[in-house]
Amino acid sequence: MPDVRDIAFEWKRSQDQGRAEPAHHPVVIVGAGPVGLVAALDLAAKGHRAVIIERKGNLSDGSRAICWAKRTLEIMDRLGIGQLLIDKGVTWKNGKVFFDTKQVFAFDLLPESGHRMPAFVNLQQYYFEHFCVEAAAKTGLIDIRWREEAQGIEPTADGVLLTVGTPEGSYRLLADWAIAADGARSKVRQLMDLPFEGRIFEDQFLICDIRMRLDRPAERWFWFDPPFNRGRSALLHKQADACWRLDFQVGREADRDEEVKPENAARRVRGMLGENLDFTFDWISLYRFQSRRLKQFRHGRVLFAGDAAHQMSPFGARGGNSGVQDADNLAWKLDLVLRGIAPEKLLDSFHEERAAAADENLLHTTRSTDFIAPKNEMSRTFRDGALALAESEPFARRLINSGRLSTPTCYDTSSLNGPDEFRPGEAAAVRPGAAALDAPLENGWLLHQTGGGFTGLWLSPQRSMPSEVAASTAALAEARTPVSFVEETEHATRVRYGAEHGPAFYLLRPDQHIAARWRSFSMAAVQQAVARATAANTARQ
Amino acid sequence: MPLQRENNMPDGDALYAEIIDAHTGLSMEDSAALNARLVLLLVNHIGDRAIVQEALAAARASLSGRT
């Protein structure tokens, strides 16, 4: 594959430019990064057109986001790109943590089998975007306008009027809905003058992506206070094309211009991996980070997703992954609203659920950062104490925080959740609000047979559905919000879903999060839960 | 009952963060004083000499291995 970073996307004058009246589009997305592209692909999968405005004329210049978590891979699999990411990327699930020169801890992120997708795939962001752009072209529904930028945004009675800048002047677009997926420095957020407040971290980190031949397993290695970066931390990760991500904490005082000089960065690389190392640089970048989010992700007809809505430290790979999960949460809701099936207020739940997810991710990444870069001397004393104890004391290993790696948020308090007939604590991993766990079916994978629309999952040791369930399937499949059916007797799946000894019925949303679950089946209860999950009925049950 | 050496904290990250936050704004001297008080409170709560002795030995052993 030629270097996809060399692909230049030319500006093409749109037919919308130069018209007397602004052209109308149902959905305009600002930003062709992972989040904007996934939102467009998911909408296209549901039959909707989208225009994407992108300032640049190329893919991500650096590798940036590299760790794609299992839930993100499942979403991408639903959109038809999962296998491409696996084939091109580096699958991994194990990590090691070192303190000084000793290994203190090793972990396995997916110890159980029976999942279609691995715990993680490492792949440079430009490849992720490349596959999305190619898939977008195939839909025939996505119009990416490269080298154009949002210059103005004003709400109208039932839409958004955007002013778009191009190499040849500007033009206007009237969108029913706008998705701001234009990153941490979101232009849309600035144009709307929305405060983006939070905590700024002083410590600086140096990323070196290098190409080298290194015979080493694909594992995440993290060092606290290693001899080659005394008093600080370092991280090593494998990416596609024999590319390795090295990340060095360089401190508050480090001189930006000096650090990014290849000869200085090379000294750090050789310090970590050996004086005689044969390598070339792919990308050098110095960064500081912030933890902050918008108060509201929905502003009328403008919806903020990804870094435009929330920004966090990279430890735990929660930025890119939570952004893709924002898009996953948004697309099905916007679909139902665009088709007039659900009321607009369903989109309030996008903020409700994803702001809660952002808070969870911000909490984890902030704690990781405080552990990795202690903010005072006593904090460092505790940190080093935990690291030292971890060698002999198993409990202390659980405290070592080199990044809590991205897992999907369970929307525990969501207003869309319906009843849970399970006992407290029973099959808690698949309680209402949680993303459905994959499981092997007699014929394929659970997550392949769900998603896109609502799905009812009937789990039972018995071979055939009870007649009252079977009799309801046709009616539910033809409802205004259709519910398809999956019937499963596979033991491993029933165990994962707490239906080992008796039947269970799960209702899954189009994003494969669990809306409700019962021990028995009632058509009226399912209809009520669907209404609730689409904000058609917000009365408490 | 011997000293619990396996993880016994339902949300260790949160508890750890609470300890660290309790030290915010304190000098090292005050932080050490806070730690002493905290140890005494927890030792009283445990109230089992053998367990405290085992913990003391483990902590001392970890400290002596320091480079």
Side-chain angles (χ1 to χ4, degrees), chain A residues 200-495:
Chain A
I200 297 168
F201 293 86
E202 300 290 326
D203 252 284
Q204 301 182 94
F205 292 81
L206 179 74
I207 287 182
C208 301
D209 278 352
I210 63 171
R211 305 231 174 196
M212 61 171 171
R213 296 250 163 262
L214 185 67
D215 196 17
R216 211 188 249 266
E219 295 178 341
R220 177 186 196 261
W221 284 26
F222 195 98
W223 289 266
F224 290 100
D225 196 13
F228 60 82
N229 199 22
R230 205 34 101 191
R232 305 206 168 99
S233 68
L235 174 67
L236 178 66
H237 250 314
K238 190 177 187 182
Q239 309 175 47
D241 302 338
C243 184
W244 294 74
R245 159 74 54 89
L246 283 60
D247 194 329
F248 300 91
Q249 184 186 8
V250 295
R252 296 163 191 218
E253 314 299 335
D255 182 323
R256 183 176 190 90
D257 297 332
E258 286 299 311
E259 287 293 342
V260 299
K261 281 184 184 161
E263 63 268 30
N264 291 335
R267 252 194 306 280
R268 291 188 178 277
V269 172
R270 292 187 198 286
M272 180 193 270
L273 296 168
E275 287 305 319
N276 300 317
L277 188 74
D278 188 20
F279 72 95
T280 54
F281 279 115
D282 216 59
W283 189 50
I284 303 175
S285 169
L286 193 81
Y287 68 93
R288 262 196 179 114
F289 45 76
Q290 314 199 4
S291 283
R292 48 186 187 168
R293 78 158 168 90
L294 280 175
K295 273 205 177 70
Q296 282 292 326
F297 292 4
R298 179 182 175 202
H299 287 262
R301 295 295 186 101
V302 184
L303 302 144
F304 288 84
D307 282 2
H310 45 73
Q311 201 188 345
M312 58 196 71
S313 102
F315 298 105
R318 289 169 182 265
N321 287 300
S322 68
V324 169
Q325 288 156 36
D326 286 347
D328 177 51
N329 187 285
L330 178 55
W332 71 270
K333 295 173 181 175
L334 193 50
D335 164 52
L336 292 180
V337 171
L338 283 164
R339 289 195 285 132
I341 289 173
E344 266 188 55
K345 70 173 184 244
L346 177 59
L347 289 162
D348 288 339
S349 73
F350 165 68
H351 165 76
E352 181 193 348
E353 294 182 338
R354 294 312 299 171
D359 286 344
E360 181 178 305
N361 289 318
L362 283 163
L363 183 68
H364 282 297
T365 51
T366 301
R367 284 175 182 167
S368 301
T369 305
D370 285 342
F371 197 90
I372 290 162
K375 51 192 171 187
N376 56 47
E377 213 183 326
M378 184 50 79
S379 172
R380 177 175 295 272
T381 304
F382 268 98
R383 200 278 304 270
D384 290 352
L387 283 164
L389 283 170
E391 233 187 298
S392 59
E393 310 300 318
F395 88 91
R397 285 167 211 156
R398 293 286 294 270
L399 294 176
I400 293 171
N401 191 340
S402 70
R404 298 291 183 224
L405 287 150
S406 173
T407 51
T409 296
C410 179
Y411 306 133
D412 274 317
T413 57
S414 173
S415 59
L416 304 188
N417 289 351
D420 181 2
E421 277 190 0
F422 281 44
R423 289 193 307 274
E426 200 183 3
V430 285
R431 64 192 184 273
L437 291 178
D438 203 4
L441 302 187
E442 285 169 62
N443 188 11
W445 296 98
L446 177 60
L447 294 187
H448 278 174
Q449 305 210 10
T450 62
F454 280 86
T455 309
L457 174 63
W458 174 255
L459 296 161
S460 164
Q462 269 75 47
R463 271 273 146 201
S464 58
M465 273 190 212
S467 55
E468 70 271 24
V469 183
S472 305
T473 56
L476 284 168
E478 282 160 22
R480 195 164 145 78
T481 308
V483 180
S484 62
F485 266 78
V486 174
E487 182 192 3
E488 191 54 42
T489 56
E490 175 70 35
H491 184 255
T493 305
R494 287 192 286 111
V495 169

Side-chain angles (χ1 to χ4, degrees), chain A residues 146-163:
Chain A
W146 302 96
R147 301 174 200 258
E148 298 195 356
E149 69 169 344
Q151 290 182 337
I153 186 157
E154 39 178 297
T156 64
D158 51 3
V160 182
L161 187 62
L162 284 139
T163 306

Side-chain angles (χ1 to χ4, degrees), chain A residues 100 102 364 367 370-371 375-379 381-386 388-389 392-396 398-401 404, chain B residues 3-9 11-14 16-17 19-21 23-25 28 31-32 35 38 58-59 62 65 67:
Chain A
D100 195 351
K102 290 179 190 158
H364 282 297
R367 284 175 182 167
D370 285 342
F371 197 90
K375 51 192 171 187
N376 56 47
E377 213 183 326
M378 184 50 79
S379 172
T381 304
F382 268 98
R383 200 278 304 270
D384 290 352
L389 283 170
S392 59
E393 310 300 318
F395 88 91
R398 293 286 294 270
L399 294 176
I400 293 171
N401 191 340
R404 298 291 183 224
Chain B
L3 177 70
Q4 174 61 265
R5 304 177 101 131
E6 296 294 327
N7 181 47
N8 190 36
M9 295 175 278
D11 188 353
D13 283 356
Y16 185 87
I19 296 171
I20 300 303
D21 289 347
H23 288 270
T24 302
M28 265 310 260
S31 268
N35 281 341
L38 184 63
S62 167
T67 47

Side-chain angles (χ1 to χ4, degrees), chain A residues 16-57:
Chain A
D16 293 344
Q17 192 165 356
R19 288 165 56 149
E21 289 302 313
H24 169 260
H25 294 276
V27 181
V28 173
I29 297 169
V30 183
V35 180
L37 288 166
V38 170
L41 285 171
D42 207 348
L43 286 168
K46 295 166 169 71
H48 300 286
R49 294 184 172 275
V51 170
I52 306 183
I53 304 295
E54 171 55 51
R55 191 175 47 80
K56 293 192 281 66

